[in-house]
């Protein structure tokens, strides 16, 4: 019998997220100089910072290459940030080897087809409400929030609450 996602959450020790469509709504504003501006939800940032503070391994694997995104996530305490990932399994495999990860204890939130191969490898694949159909099909949990609208906060808070680590982090700052 297949486990429900709530039975998987207590064992999660690593949280991996895509950026565009997960931490953002997937819309970019293209400036005249070609720079692409993204918006991120401050509550997602708070949850990520809280997870780092609580000892979770938090990682980013994104196809985008925006250095502003790297700076924002680095300021939240995230150390493993992979941008420009064309085949996300390469970066995922590097993380597994670097930290000797047990894939069954890894949560990955993605929203589109490039996330699919990694999502098939982890114990807790999940996605925002507006993820592609293929992604929803393989997800153990589909947030009731869209990408960039708190879906990261939703799943991080659930993981931390079930592990009794959420309430201990209220002194983290909204940055």
């Amino acid at each position: 019998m297949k486990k429900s996602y709530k039975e998987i959450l207590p064992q999660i020790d690593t949280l991996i997220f895509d950026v565009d469509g997960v931490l953002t709504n997937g819309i970019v504003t293209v400036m005249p100089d070609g720079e692409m501006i993204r918006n991120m939800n401050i509550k997602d940032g708070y949850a990520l910072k809280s997870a780092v503070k609580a000892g979770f391994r938090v990682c980013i694997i994104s196809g985008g290459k925006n250095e502003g995104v790297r700076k924002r996530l680095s300021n939240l305490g995230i150390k493993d940030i992979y941008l420009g990932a064309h085949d996300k399994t390469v970066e995922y495999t590097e993380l597994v080897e670097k930290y000797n990860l047990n894939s069954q204890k890894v949560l990955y939130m993605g929203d589109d087809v490039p996330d699919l191969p990694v999502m098939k490898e982890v114990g807790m694949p999940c996605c925002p409400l507006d993820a592609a159909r293929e992604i929803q099909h393989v997800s153990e949990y589909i947030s009731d929030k869209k990408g960039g609208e708190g879906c990261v906060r939703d799943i991080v808070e659930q993981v931390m609450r079930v592990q009794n680590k959420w309430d201990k982090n209220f002194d983290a700052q909204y940055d």
Side-chain angles (χ1 to χ4, degrees):
M1 181 177 193
K2 186 176 177 183
K3 287 184 178 182
S4 83
Y5 87 93
K6 290 195 179 228
E7 293 175 289
I8 301 169
L9 297 181
Q11 65 187 8
I12 297 300
D13 63 12
T14 302
L15 308 165
I16 304 175
F17 299 94
D18 178 30
V19 175
D20 293 321
V22 174
L23 283 162
T24 76
N25 64 4
I27 296 172
V28 295
T29 301
V30 181
M31 303 305 287
D33 66 358
E35 181 181 4
M36 293 188 282
I37 307 297
R38 293 160 171 85
N39 293 312
M40 293 186 170
N41 187 302
I42 198 81
K43 291 177 184 171
D44 287 345
Y46 176 81
L48 291 171
K49 188 172 186 174
S50 295
V52 168
K53 185 175 181 199
F56 288 92
R57 189 172 299 102
V58 179
C59 311
I60 304 297
I61 303 176
S62 175
K65 298 178 185 177
N66 187 290
E67 287 303 313
V69 168
R70 181 186 308 277
K71 184 174 182 179
R72 163 74 177 140
L73 297 170
S74 181
N75 286 341
L76 296 174
I78 300 171
K79 295 184 180 6
D80 293 295
I81 303 169
Y82 296 92
L83 302 181
H86 297 291
D87 175 358
K88 295 182 179 189
T89 58
V90 171
E91 289 78 6
Y92 177 69
T93 301
E94 184 177 318
L95 286 168
V96 168
E97 291 172 1
K98 179 178 180 180
Y99 296 111
N100 194 29
L101 298 180
N102 174 344
S103 290
Q104 293 307 304
K105 295 182 177 186
V106 175
L107 177 149
Y108 184 98
M109 181 175 266
D111 72 305
D112 210 347
V113 174
D115 300 304
L116 197 54
V118 176
M119 292 179 75
K120 289 179 176 179
E121 297 294 319
V122 302
M124 181 64 190
C126 56
C127 67
L129 180 62
D130 57 343
R133 183 177 308 131
E134 296 88 346
I135 298 302
Q136 291 184 11
H137 182 73
V138 301
S139 291
E140 293 291 335
Y141 175 72
I142 300 171
S143 176
D144 65 349
K145 310 270 190 277
K146 293 179 179 180
E149 296 181 9
C151 63
V152 171
R153 165 72 175 258
D154 172 35
I155 194 61
V156 171
E157 185 174 338
Q158 286 190 63
V159 170
M160 291 181 70
R161 281 189 185 279
V162 79
Q163 294 186 22
N164 196 29
K165 295 178 179 178
W166 180 252
D167 296 342
K168 295 178 169 86
N169 283 284
F170 285 144
D171 59 338
Q173 298 295 309
Y174 279 91
D175 290 338

